[in-house]
Structure formats: C-alpha cells, structure tokens
Amino acid sequence: MNNVSHIPSYLSPEHLGPWETFLVQIDRVEPHLAPELRPLAPILTRPMRALIVNVPIRLDNGEMAHFEGYRVQHNLARGPGKGGIRFHPQVTLSEVMALSAWMTVKNAVVNVPYGGAKGGVRVDPKQLSLAELERLTRRYTSEIHILLGQDKDIPAPDINTNEQTMAWIMDTYSMNEGRTAMGVVTGKPVSLGGSLGRKDATGRGVFVSTVEAARHLGLEIAGARVAVQGFGNVGEAAARLFAEAGARVVALQDGSGAIANPAGLDLQAVKAWRQTQRSLLGAPGAETIDAERFWSTDADILVAAAMENQITAANAGLIRARLIVEGANGPTTPEADLILQERGITVIPDVLANAGGVTVSYFEWVQDISAFFWTEDEINARLDRIMREAFAAVWEAARSKGIVMRTAAFVLGCERVLMAHKLRGLYP
Ligand code: NAD
C-alpha cells in the first residue's frame, strides 16, 4: 500500500510538506512489521486529533494581531500525549502533524509511557516584545486547554520556546484549573518543578547514542572530528559533551552561517561570541565557510541539530562523515536517506538520537506527580541507561533484519504502538 495516496482532505496534496516524509517512512517500515500487526498500520497514517486555533493578542501599541496555532495528538494508545511546542513563522499543520507522529514513534522507541503530540504557533517570536510573547503563550495555552492535562497531553519546549514559556503555560493552565498543576508541562525551571539535567538532556542523548554507534563502528570518540549543524539547546550541549570527551568540533553551522577550524573550535569562545554578536561569524579562532564547505567538512561525525529538511539530495553526496546523528527532528529527507544508505553512511535517526529530551521530560513528570525530586547524577545515570538500551534494541533489529537504523527504530516503535492497539481492541 502506498500511504502517500491516503492523504487527509485538510492537507494540500501538492504541498504535503513534512507529513509526506512521515508517510514515506511508514511505507518503508510496513513490510518489516510483524505480520499480525501489519493490518493495523494504517492507523499511524492518520493523526488521532488535530486542533487548529486562532490566537488573538493585544500588541504593545494597542493594536490586535492574530496568529495561527495548532496542537496535534497523533496517537494516544500508549499513554498521554507528549511533545513540544514550537514558535516559528513557517509552522504548518503538516509540520505539526509530522512532528507529533515522530513523537509517537520516539516515545515508543525509548519505551516511555506516552503517546505522540506536538504543538506550534505560526509566529516570528523575534518580532514580539517579551510582554507580547507572554500574552501569545497564555492565550495559545487557553485555546488548547481542552486537550491538556498531566494525564492527557503534556507539552515541552521546542524551537523558540524555553523554560520561561513552559512556566507561563504551567501558570495559565493552573489559573484556569484553580490549582497548581506542575505535571502539565515539562522543561520548566527547576524552581517550579523542573528536572535537573533536562536542559542538556537531548544533547546528552545525542552524545550517548553516538558513543554507542562509534563503539560498533570501531570509531574512537577521543580525537574524532565532529561537525555540528545548529548551536542551540541541542547542538550546543552535544558539541560541549563531544569536546569534553576529547573529540574536536571542527565545524559549526547555525542560522547566521558556518565556521570551521580543523584543529578544533574553542566552543566557550564561540558561545561567548555568539551571545554578544548574535552570530557565529567572526568568532575567535574560526574561519567563515560557506554552506557547501560545511556539508563537505572532513569530519568523522556529523550532528544535524538545527531543523528539518537540512540533509537533502543536493548535499547528501557531499558529506564525508561516516556517522550522521540526527539531533533535530526530520533533518534528512527520504531521498537523502537513500543516498546516504548507498554511500554506506550510518544514520542514527532522530526518533532514537534525540530521545534524551523526552526521556528526562518523562523523569520530570514522574518527579512532579510523586512530588519527590531526584539528584542530577540519578537522572543522568537513568538517562544513559535508557538511551543505551534503546540504542542496543535498534542496532540489533537493524542487524538481524538487514535494514537501516531508521527503519529499525520505526519498526520497534511502531510495533509497540500497534501492539497497544491490538491489546486494547477497536472501540466500540
Ligand atoms: P534552538 O532554537 O535552541 O536551536 C536551533 C539552532 O538551529 C540554532 O542554533 C539556529 O541558529 C539553528 N538553525 C536554524 N535554522 C537553521 C538553518 N537553516 N541552518 C542552520 N542552522 C539553523 O532549538 P533546539 O531546541 O536546539 O532544537 C533543534 C532541533 O532539535 C529541532 O529540530 C527540535 O525539534 C529538535 N529537538 C529538540 C529537543 C529539545 O529538547 N530542545 C528535543 C528533541 C528534538
């Protein structure tokens, strides 16, 4: 069955966007699913619920502005919805649907008891003042309130949202409920029921899964050359952990451009420069390079930690790294995936590599619900164990079935979700 032909009427078939990527991935996975689960697979090709809201806010100049917001719950068979909220001018329903579906798979791959959800507002937050951003966040939260709750749907940060955004969401939800509800959102400040270790968790998961892959590939992390796309929450933490383990970060790219130093960039100096200059370009000890040179950097490991559709058919042939690690969600297009596969480049897929964030979000939720908080060492040790176990399961599935890691991770995740459907049965 070709899932791409089964598209909902509310998306444009000519501009399917990221949802098409997800459908192609499901197409590739279906033949490898356990035969008794295969008939249930079409349930994954439709989101369970998609809420589209208007978010009107008062601007500082007294005028009113309207923004489009979404919350999509792709699948709730294994537990409440879980997934981040993104503020970006190019957010679309298709994108939020795809991101929610990847959360379904990801949560199942690391075996946390959640379904998949995602939210977004179509806004350029840089155009808003802090007060406007707070009003936007609070109104959006109120509009999607009917879906939220610690046992219903638990948002978290994503692109352009952070601890402060989560604190506003927690407060807005709590005000509407008339009680303090810490477990409704994760990625909160530690003083408001957030978890130690959450900030670095995704980068840490990227690092741990890379260490596991490197072991299998006979690649030493100490001395390895690493190129990182994206120097935000995920990319910065991953780059720092690689450098701490003795690897050299030889190239970095973010929205401002790309820099390189074959001897290894001084990450602290780059970070300090970026904070004051709002750009990587001109950072001390770094040469500015163009995008083509970034993709063809002579590196052992490439970490894609910016956003989706970055590794495409146009640049997949340039990549010289042996190992690509997807810190971002959906950074590799399906066409690029085939090119990388042909070229023998190992890809640790997003649904595994960046699952560290949701894993520590799960720890945060457990701590909030039990009102009992753990030490950072406990959190990191549990995170490392879950990441290593998930990596081993995906690696073994890939090896035994002779498939790439993305397909293997999807098989593992989708089978867990479909097994939940099979056991629960079809209501009514
Ligand atoms: P962020 O906003 O902190 O950082 C994004 C980085 O990507 C910035 O450095 C930005 O300059 C860069 N960037 C944006 N557009 C770019 C482009 N066209 N080319 C090069 N660089 C570009 O976001 P984040 O939280 O680090 O998230 C990054 C990715 O990781 C996203 O795909 C997100 O969905 C995914 N992710 C994040 C988490 C998390 O815990 N934050 C968890 C799982 C997945």
Side-chain angles (χ1 to χ4, degrees):
M1 185 182 73
N2 178 5
N3 285 315
V4 178
S5 58
H6 293 261
I7 48 167
S9 64
Y10 47 86
L11 291 187
S12 152
E14 290 80 37
H15 307 284
L16 256 190
W19 184 245
E20 182 172 10
T21 303
F22 174 71
L23 292 182
V24 171
Q25 289 166 343
I26 292 294
D27 272 342
R28 288 182 187 166
V29 166
E30 261 186 56
H32 303 285
L33 293 174
E36 78 271 20
L37 297 176
R38 222 172 284 157
L40 296 169
I43 205 154
L44 299 170
T45 67
R46 292 144 174 96
M48 179 190 177
R49 276 186 198 117
L51 178 63
I52 304 173
V53 296
N54 178 38
V55 186
I57 62 159
R58 185 77 59 198
L59 297 175
D60 293 343
N61 66 10
E63 287 173 14
M64 199 157 96
H66 295 264
F67 300 93
E68 211 168 283
Y70 310 94
R71 184 74 187 172
V72 177
Q73 295 175 335
H74 172 259
N75 190 290
L76 303 183
R78 301 180 74 251
K82 187 88 191 81
I85 287 172
R86 167 176 299 196
F87 290 169
H88 196 277
Q90 266 115 45
V91 163
T92 60
L93 176 61
S94 162
E95 179 181 71
V96 180
M97 283 167 61
L99 290 164
S100 71
W102 287 321
M103 287 309 299
T104 300
V105 179
K106 185 186 306 182
N107 292 334
V109 167
V110 283
N111 215 0
V112 291
Y114 291 135
K118 200 85 180 188
V121 179
R122 207 171 154 80
V123 59
D124 181 359
K126 292 179 194 76
Q127 305 296 321
L128 298 185
S129 70
L130 194 64
E132 290 167 339
L133 206 52
E134 177 173 351
R135 291 196 287 275
L136 176 92
T137 304
R138 288 185 182 279
R139 183 62 188 249
Y140 167 70
T141 305
S142 286
E143 295 299 338
I144 65 166
H145 186 105
I146 48 171
L147 295 185
L148 302 184
Q150 72 172 27
D151 51 1
K152 290 166 73 183
D153 189 348
I154 307 124
D158 193 67
I159 292 177
N160 291 327
T161 56
N162 55 26
E163 287 187 352
Q164 178 61 75
T165 326
M166 298 306 116
W168 288 331
I169 293 176
M170 190 278 259
D171 183 67
T172 305
Y173 180 86
S174 297
M175 288 296 132
N176 287 331
E177 290 281 313
R179 66 189 168 88
T180 293
M182 287 198 170
V184 70
V185 66
T186 61
K188 299 181 296 294
V190 171
S191 56
L192 272 184
S195 179
L196 297 170
R198 173 63 184 90
K199 207 166 168 2
D200 280 357
T202 306
R204 191 176 173 89
V206 164
F207 174 73
V208 172
S209 53
T210 309
V211 169
E212 292 303 297
R215 205 161 46 79
H216 285 285
L217 298 172
L219 182 67
E220 275 290 325
I221 292 292
R225 296 156 308 161
V226 187
V228 182
Q229 191 201 31
F231 199 52
N233 184 329
V234 181
E236 191 276 324
R240 176 164 29 88
L241 291 166
F242 278 112
E244 280 171 15
R248 270 181 290 156
V249 177
V250 292
L252 271 180
Q253 191 197 46
D254 76 354
S256 67
I259 55 173
N261 182 344
L265 293 159
D266 176 347
L267 293 177
Q268 273 183 354
V270 171
K271 195 176 165 188
W273 176 268
R274 203 267 324 262
Q275 256 155 13
T276 54
Q277 308 297 313
R278 308 218 149 271
S279 168
L280 292 179
L281 308 186
E287 180 197 354
T288 298
I289 56 171
D290 63 18
E292 191 169 321
R293 269 190 63 200
F294 173 78
W295 292 113
S296 55
T297 297
D298 196 6
D300 304 295
I301 299 163
L302 171 66
V303 178
M307 56 193 305
E308 57 269 16
N309 293 336
Q310 296 302 301
I311 302 175
T312 64
N315 60 24
L318 300 175
I319 293 171
R320 289 154 83 179
R322 289 170 64 189
L323 178 60
I324 295 177
V325 192
E326 295 187 331
N329 287 311
T332 310
T333 66
E335 303 78 46
D337 242 349
L338 295 179
I339 297 169
L340 298 173
Q341 191 178 342
E342 241 165 57
R343 297 187 57 221
I345 297 173
T346 303
V347 179
I348 312 180
D350 47 9
V351 290
L352 172 63
N354 72 29
V358 76
T359 301
V360 175
S361 273
Y362 165 59
F363 298 161
E364 179 175 335
W365 179 75
V366 170
Q367 292 171 85
D368 287 339
I369 290 174
S370 57
F372 180 73
F373 291 85
W374 312 344
T375 65
E376 188 157 5
D377 284 349
E378 276 174 291
I379 287 155
N380 287 342
R382 287 179 205 251
L383 168 62
D384 291 3
R385 184 170 56 77
I386 288 185
M387 289 305 299
R388 281 200 300 267
E389 283 174 4
F391 183 92
V394 172
W395 185 270
E396 176 50 27
R399 198 199 53 79
S400 64
K401 292 181 194 289
I403 52 181
V404 294
M405 287 190 83
R406 185 185 317 282
T407 311
F410 267 67
V411 169
L412 187 72
C414 293
E415 283 190 347
R416 283 180 177 154
V417 175
L418 296 176
M419 183 53 82
H421 278 287
K422 188 171 156 63
L423 292 170
R424 288 178 65 157
L426 182 63
Y427 176 86

